[in-house]
Amino acid sequence: MPKDAPVNTGAWPEAVPMGPRRRVSEMQAKLHRWAAADPGRRFDDLFNLVHDPATLIVAFDRVAGNTGARTAGVDGLTVAHVEEQIGVPGFLDDLRAQLKDGSFRPLPVRERKIPKPGGSGKVRSLGIPTVADRVVQAALKLVLEPIFEADFVPVSYGFRPMRRAHDAIAEIHFYGTKGYRWVLDADIEACFDSISHSGLMDRVRARVKDKRVLTLVKAFLKAGVMTQDGHRDTYTGTPQGGILSPLLANIALTVLDEYLHGPWKPGGAMATQGRRAHRRKKGLANWRIVRFADDFVVLTDGKRSDAQALREDITEVLAPLGLRLSPDKTRVVPMTDGFDFLGFHIQWRRKRGTNKWYVYTFIADRPTRSLKDKIRALTNRTSQQDRRRVLIRLNQIMRGWANYFKHAVCTHTFKALENFVWRRVMAWWMVLHRWKWKDVRRRFTDPTGRWRRPSADGIELFDLRAVPITRYRYRGNTIPNPWLLPDHA
């Protein structure tokens, strides 16, 4: 993940202004409070909340504020077209009328293939819904997310409000220092493409009774994909790229969280430190799952055989959902060998010059290679691009990348990358302007002989070395719940 991964801002902050946002926020707080108070409650009459004018207004704002707003679905419409040619009020009125009279039908998503990171040559398929479908999906998410968040387990961090990838890394770091040093590094094979619709809908029905909402969710799952070769039906999976897809994937994969985290709940075999210590004395292993969307690891304080046994159990848990672990990418490793997770390399190793051992978090090789590839593409020596524009783009990429990885042990990595990008820029400019080395020194050193930062038309090259390296603190169970904040009490 070679870019910044901010806290998921899917929920409103404490102070929400009056109007549609405030109304939706209060609705979400009530739904979450009711769901948390009664774990067996099934919610009816949710459809009226989905097509409520305030919900649709907020949903459209979410869609318009997304970077994908410039991308069109199969109907060719973008958010800009809706705003300029149709008008947002009329567009939402028509959409609400279709939802109310039952005539709304999702269109197939437009397939777009993008290369997978790491330079493997493989591609990932994204499904791009139409603007209307995106708005309805966003409205569904606004209504369903507070309900299912009451059931989600604290060990999952992907695409959830107020949580981020760094929380998952911090949890691995925390339990690694507590003796959990055998790791099941797991990969679910084609998770988003393989989820069983029937298995997923069964889990949605456990909380949602409103048949109109269930029909709408199922319609999005069955909408199909429009490829270059024509229409393709979707019998399994939820397309990557849809606003609702991450929530549906979390709903499905909660079965894994519940199975592995069950012993940690109050009264469970691993609920307290004393119980976990008692298990270790009896030769029984404890374990802890850390999941970010479809990526997860399971840490255990036992032996390799305990981690391998967990692998077999997980295989059985995932089977009813139509999911299976990738045999090539799933492995059991000791933390002394290290493993990669969410762009970081985590390893239990001896501190240099001492006999003390610690869990270290480094930057993995793949995101570093990916960043270098992007820098090379922008600083080709034969490039005739505008220097200012290139510097702006370089700064955006490096700043986001550094903000994501600044919590790792990365001082030397940042220095090496700074030298790399400086040499690439200088080599490009020397060819572009036919400079010699003495010209470079004359232009980019001050009277005292110190180097100045490369700049063009007021834009200065971002200095990776200036990024402060800080430790990300493990938040554990203190991560705030966005729907139980004081304003919602």
Side-chain angles (χ1 to χ4, degrees), residues 417-431:
L417 287 170
E418 164 58 27
N419 291 334
F420 174 79
V421 69
W422 189 91
R423 290 196 306 269
R424 291 290 306 184
V425 170
M426 285 297 106
W428 168 40
W429 286 358
M430 287 174 70
V431 174

Side-chain angles (χ1 to χ4, degrees), residues 330-489:
T330 301
R331 61 196 185 115
V332 174
V333 295
M335 198 171 279
T336 48
D337 289 352
F339 63 97
D340 292 350
F341 190 62
L342 302 179
F344 294 91
H345 182 75
I346 304 167
Q347 187 175 14
W348 169 259
R349 61 189 294 178
R350 182 175 60 84
K351 183 178 180 180
R352 185 180 301 174
T354 72
N355 289 322
K356 295 182 178 180
W357 289 66
Y358 298 96
V359 177
Y360 287 92
T361 303
F362 304 99
I363 303 174
D365 291 336
R366 194 169 76 173
T368 303
R369 290 197 305 269
S370 177
L371 177 64
K372 285 185 175 181
D373 289 342
K374 291 178 181 179
I375 293 170
R376 287 190 185 101
L378 286 167
T379 57
N380 190 299
R381 294 188 184 187
T382 60
S383 173
Q384 297 295 316
Q385 296 184 76
D386 178 66
R387 294 192 306 163
R388 185 178 187 274
R389 189 173 300 172
V390 171
L391 285 186
I392 291 174
R393 184 60 186 144
L394 280 173
N395 290 350
Q396 290 172 340
I397 292 171
M398 290 191 296
R399 187 174 283 111
W401 194 92
N403 283 336
Y404 181 77
F405 288 110
K406 67 183 180 181
H407 303 298
V409 180
C410 57
T411 302
H412 295 299
T413 304
F414 279 11
K415 286 182 179 179
L417 287 170
E418 164 58 27
N419 291 334
F420 174 79
V421 69
W422 189 91
R423 290 196 306 269
R424 291 290 306 184
V425 170
M426 285 297 106
W428 168 40
W429 286 358
M430 287 174 70
V431 174
L432 182 66
H433 299 290
R434 298 180 182 179
W435 289 342
K436 296 187 181 299
W437 182 246
K438 63 180 181 181
D439 299 314
V440 174
R441 287 192 61 87
R442 185 180 71 252
R443 291 173 180 271
F444 296 104
T445 57
D446 61 20
T448 65
R450 293 184 177 180
W451 287 96
R452 292 197 297 261
R453 298 297 300 162
S455 62
D457 299 329
I459 301 298
E460 188 175 276
L461 181 66
F462 179 70
D463 189 354
L464 280 167
R465 296 170 302 181
V467 177
I469 311 300
T470 59
R471 181 176 177 181
Y472 189 87
R473 297 295 176 180
Y474 175 53
R475 297 194 289 167
N477 293 326
T478 64
I479 298 176
N481 186 317
W483 296 296
L484 296 179
L485 295 170
D487 277 79
H488 295 155

Side-chain angles (χ1 to χ4, degrees), residues 160-452:
R160 294 184 58 190
M162 311 299 289
R163 292 166 174 258
R164 60 189 304 177
H166 299 91
D167 291 311
I169 300 298
E171 179 150 334
I172 294 172
H173 192 282
F174 177 81
Y175 283 98
T177 61
K178 300 294 183 182
Y180 292 69
R181 298 195 188 110
W182 277 101
V183 182
L184 173 62
D185 183 11
D187 179 83
I188 300 176
E189 195 165 47
C191 177
F192 281 85
D193 298 329
S194 305
I195 293 177
S196 165
H197 288 173
S198 59
L200 171 59
M201 290 305 300
D202 285 344
R203 296 195 65 82
V204 175
R205 289 189 193 96
R207 273 301 202 174
V208 178
K209 190 177 180 181
D210 193 324
K211 291 185 178 180
R212 295 168 298 177
V213 171
L214 294 171
T215 300
L216 196 55
V217 172
K218 192 170 184 179
F220 279 115
L221 293 174
K222 301 291 186 183
V225 179
M226 188 62 69
T227 68
Q228 293 181 347
D229 301 324
H231 182 269
R232 184 179 76 240
D233 292 329
T234 47
Y235 301 104
T236 61
T238 174
Q240 293 189 61
I243 293 175
L244 197 59
S245 294
L247 175 61
L248 294 178
N250 271 334
I251 292 172
L253 291 175
T254 300
V255 66
L256 179 63
D257 302 338
E258 291 171 348
Y259 175 78
L260 291 175
H261 191 68
W264 286 78
K265 292 183 177 179
M270 305 175 196
T272 64
Q273 187 174 351
R275 291 188 179 186
R276 294 192 292 273
H278 181 65
R279 284 177 59 86
R280 281 194 291 269
K281 287 181 181 179
K282 294 176 62 177
L284 299 175
N286 300 301
W287 59 79
R288 183 81 174 185
I289 181 175
V290 180
R291 184 173 68 81
F292 190 94
D294 58 333
D295 294 329
F296 70 94
V297 296
V298 183
L299 313 175
T300 177
D301 59 3
K303 305 173 183 177
R304 176 187 286 271
S305 58
D306 297 311
Q308 291 172 336
L310 286 170
R311 176 175 180 168
E312 301 303 320
D313 293 344
I314 290 170
T315 299
E316 295 180 6
V317 171
L318 293 177
L321 288 170
L323 302 175
R324 69 189 190 99
L325 297 177
S326 170
D328 298 329
K329 297 180 181 179
T330 301
R331 61 196 185 115
V332 174
V333 295
M335 198 171 279
T336 48
D337 289 352
F339 63 97
D340 292 350
F341 190 62
L342 302 179
F344 294 91
H345 182 75
I346 304 167
Q347 187 175 14
W348 169 259
R349 61 189 294 178
R350 182 175 60 84
K351 183 178 180 180
R352 185 180 301 174
T354 72
N355 289 322
K356 295 182 178 180
W357 289 66
Y358 298 96
V359 177
Y360 287 92
T361 303
F362 304 99
I363 303 174
D365 291 336
R366 194 169 76 173
T368 303
R369 290 197 305 269
S370 177
L371 177 64
K372 285 185 175 181
D373 289 342
K374 291 178 181 179
I375 293 170
R376 287 190 185 101
L378 286 167
T379 57
N380 190 299
R381 294 188 184 187
T382 60
S383 173
Q384 297 295 316
Q385 296 184 76
D386 178 66
R387 294 192 306 163
R388 185 178 187 274
R389 189 173 300 172
V390 171
L391 285 186
I392 291 174
R393 184 60 186 144
L394 280 173
N395 290 350
Q396 290 172 340
I397 292 171
M398 290 191 296
R399 187 174 283 111
W401 194 92
N403 283 336
Y404 181 77
F405 288 110
K406 67 183 180 181
H407 303 298
V409 180
C410 57
T411 302
H412 295 299
T413 304
F414 279 11
K415 286 182 179 179
L417 287 170
E418 164 58 27
N419 291 334
F420 174 79
V421 69
W422 189 91
R423 290 196 306 269
R424 291 290 306 184
V425 170
M426 285 297 106
W428 168 40
W429 286 358
M430 287 174 70
V431 174
L432 182 66
H433 299 290
R434 298 180 182 179
W435 289 342
K436 296 187 181 299
W437 182 246
K438 63 180 181 181
D439 299 314
V440 174
R441 287 192 61 87
R442 185 180 71 252
R443 291 173 180 271
F444 296 104
T445 57
D446 61 20
T448 65
R450 293 184 177 180
W451 287 96
R452 292 197 297 261

Side-chain angles (χ1 to χ4, degrees), residues 138-153:
L140 276 170
K141 184 173 184 285
L142 288 170
V143 174
L144 295 179
E145 187 175 43
I147 296 172
F148 286 97
E149 271 290 328
D151 300 330
F152 288 166
V153 181

